[in-house]
Every structure is written in C-alpha cells, then in structure tokens.
Amino acid sequence: MPPFQAVRPEHVLLALEEFDRIGADEFLSRYGFDRQGEFELVHDSSTYDSMAVLGVAHLRATGELAPAEDFAGGAEGAAAVLVGLGFAVDGEPGVEVEEESEKVVDASEIGDDAARTAWAEAAREVLLETAGKYHAVITSKDLAAAVMSRSNIHTKRPSHYWMGDVLGRVAMDSAKRGEPLLSSLCVNADGSVGAGYAPHVIAAGGEVTGDPDDHAARERLECYRAFGADLPSGGGSWALTPRLSASRSRERRAAAAEKMPPLCPKCHTAVPATGICDYCD
C-alpha cells in the first residue's frame, strides 16, 4: 500500500464531498475502483467505499491518485488507514467504531472569537504545509474545510462570513513572527487573493503598492523560500496563479482587439475614422 502520511482528515472529507455530489457509481467509475461492499467508511449516517475514498483523498493530498492495484491490504487495509485518521468504519476488526474521534463543537457554542482563534491556528498549520510546495496555493473553500476538520469546530455559516477575519489573524501572526505573510497562499475560486488581502497587509504593518495579486505573488515566493519548498536553481520566481494569469491574458487580448480599427471587408486594410476605405471607394 502506498504511504498515506500526507493524507489528512480534510482530504478525506473533500473526497466524501465529491462522492456525495456525483454519486457512488460515477465516483467509482471516474477513478477506476470497483465496489467492495465491505469495511465501508461510515460518515453522517452514510456509507462509502473505503478504497475509493482513500485513493481520492491521496489525490487531494499529493496530486496523485492511489489506484486500486496499489492497495495491498485491499478494503481492510484502506479501512485501517481511515480509522487511524479518526473515521468510523463498518466491520473493521479489533477496532471500536465511533462516529467521531473527538467531539465536534459548533462555533456558536464557544463564541465567534474563540472559534476564529482556533481556526486561525489551524489555518497556519495548513498554510505552512502549502508553503512547502513551490507555487502551491489553497482555495478559501478548501482552507475552510481543513480548519474546521483540524480544530473540530464546525459552523454551517458560509466561509465568506468568517474566513476573511481568520486570514487577517494569520497575517497579523506572520508579521509578529517576522515571517512572510502566509495568508497570501489562500486564493478564491478565480485564483485571486481578493479585496480583503490589501487591508490585511496594511493591518499587519505592511503596504500594498500597485496590484494586490502581484504583491501576494511576491509574498508567496518568500513563503516558499522560508518554509522549505523545493525551489528551482536561482531561488524561483514569483507568479500569479494559473487561473488568474489566464484570465488576465484574455482581458489583455480583448482590450487589444477593441483598440484595433475595423477592417475593410473587401481589401482587409484598416478603415479610417471616416468609415470609408481609402482604397475601395
């Protein structure tokens, strides 16, 4: 069986989310697994194929799928890994099954400030792991799932209501430690750090001149250098996320196309401001 040290509970939760979203048949077919029917993971009163879920969790953690043929222990071996991560498994021999390894607390029970303090501590851990991979980033959605899983403090409130404050706390903590801003590693679905980034930098004692995403990209490079990423020779270079870079390229092409004068349909030369082709009329 491949090593699963990189797999964390949040990676399993992401796999379960996809399993629920597309259904068991599509999930198994998409990733090349057969239904096992034994040693199934039990979560929120639903059951899931342990091998398929763990294989996809490995994909979420490392970028590489652990295929069915790599599971020397089969479903039972996969179940053992999942139990070790705190999940319940139906039929795992010699293991007392519990629904949760630790009691999950709702944020409303402890108050916003306590919850966000705990989430910020968990976010720092996740962002440190992200910083260990050159040019890696994490979306705010994935970070929200990870911090709730690690802290065992959950909320049904959408993450956009509280993630900005959590990232602000992470930024302040980075500044106090004299580190580059780990919050720069968190981006939205468009690959941008969004409107909340610049205020966090300023609150942490920094300054944003020019484009916030350019600033964040430079901060990310410093994070990769500071926290052990495997950098190319020369120390690496800063870069926008691929999604944001592609979006900006499209915008530049569209802007350039708007500036181009119309072409004459007959001779394909530029038509002057009069709208009459100098060659054809």
Side-chain angles (χ1 to χ4, degrees):
M1 185 180 294
F4 288 101
Q5 291 89 340
V7 177
R8 304 283 301 194
E10 58 265 25
H11 301 129
V12 177
L13 292 174
L14 289 172
L16 295 180
E17 179 186 354
E18 182 178 2
F19 196 110
D20 288 336
R21 187 175 68 252
I22 66 177
D25 291 340
E26 174 62 22
F27 188 88
L28 295 172
S29 175
R30 176 177 296 183
Y31 296 108
F33 287 89
D34 295 324
R35 190 181 299 275
Q36 300 298 311
E38 59 179 356
F39 301 109
E40 294 186 320
L41 184 153
V42 181
H43 184 72
D44 287 345
S45 301
S46 298
T47 58
Y48 305 83
D49 187 277
S50 293
M51 287 176 60
V53 167
L54 186 57
V56 175
H58 191 269
L59 173 65
R60 298 289 170 260
T62 67
E64 296 182 2
L65 176 71
E69 56 267 24
D70 284 356
F71 287 79
E76 186 173 2
V81 174
L82 293 168
V83 169
L85 290 170
F87 291 91
V89 172
D90 182 22
E92 172 64 7
V95 176
E96 183 179 348
V97 173
E98 297 180 0
E99 281 297 319
E100 300 289 344
S101 58
E102 295 182 39
K103 185 178 184 296
V104 173
V105 177
D106 191 273
S108 62
E109 297 178 32
I110 61 173
D112 277 350
D113 186 66
R116 293 179 183 190
T117 297
W119 288 334
E121 292 174 357
R124 174 178 171 80
E125 294 178 4
V126 176
L127 292 169
L128 282 171
E129 293 172 7
T130 304
K133 299 178 182 179
Y134 183 52
H135 280 174
V137 294
I138 185 170
T139 66
S140 56
K141 178 181 178 181
D142 287 349
L143 183 59
V147 301
M148 286 192 288
S149 173
R150 292 199 183 194
S151 65
N152 281 314
I153 301 171
H154 289 214
T155 181
K156 293 182 179 179
R157 296 187 70 194
S159 59
H160 63 261
Y161 285 110
W162 50 269
M163 182 53 72
D165 181 62
V166 169
L167 288 172
R169 294 172 187 237
V170 172
M172 290 291 291
D173 182 59
S174 293
K176 290 178 181 177
R177 295 171 185 263
E179 300 170 344
L181 299 182
L182 285 165
S183 54
S184 64
L185 294 157
C186 182
V187 299
N188 60 26
D190 297 324
S192 168
V193 289
Y197 176 76
H200 294 162
V201 175
I202 295 170
E207 182 181 3
V208 176
T209 56
D211 185 87
D213 278 298
D214 289 347
H215 182 283
R218 291 184 172 90
E219 283 293 311
R220 288 196 292 268
L221 176 59
E222 295 306 314
C223 286
Y224 304 137
R225 289 172 173 171
F227 299 116
D230 186 10
L231 300 172
S233 59
S237 60
W238 68 271
L240 299 175
T241 63
R243 184 181 292 271
L244 182 60
S245 180
S247 174
R248 289 192 174 182
S249 294
R250 289 193 296 269
E251 290 173 359
R252 287 194 294 269
R253 289 195 297 269
E258 289 180 359
K259 293 180 180 179
M260 292 180 60
L263 300 179
C264 173
K266 295 181 180 178
C267 66
H268 304 292
T269 58
V271 176
T274 61
I276 300 174
C277 179
D278 291 335
Y279 300 98
C280 297
D281 292 299

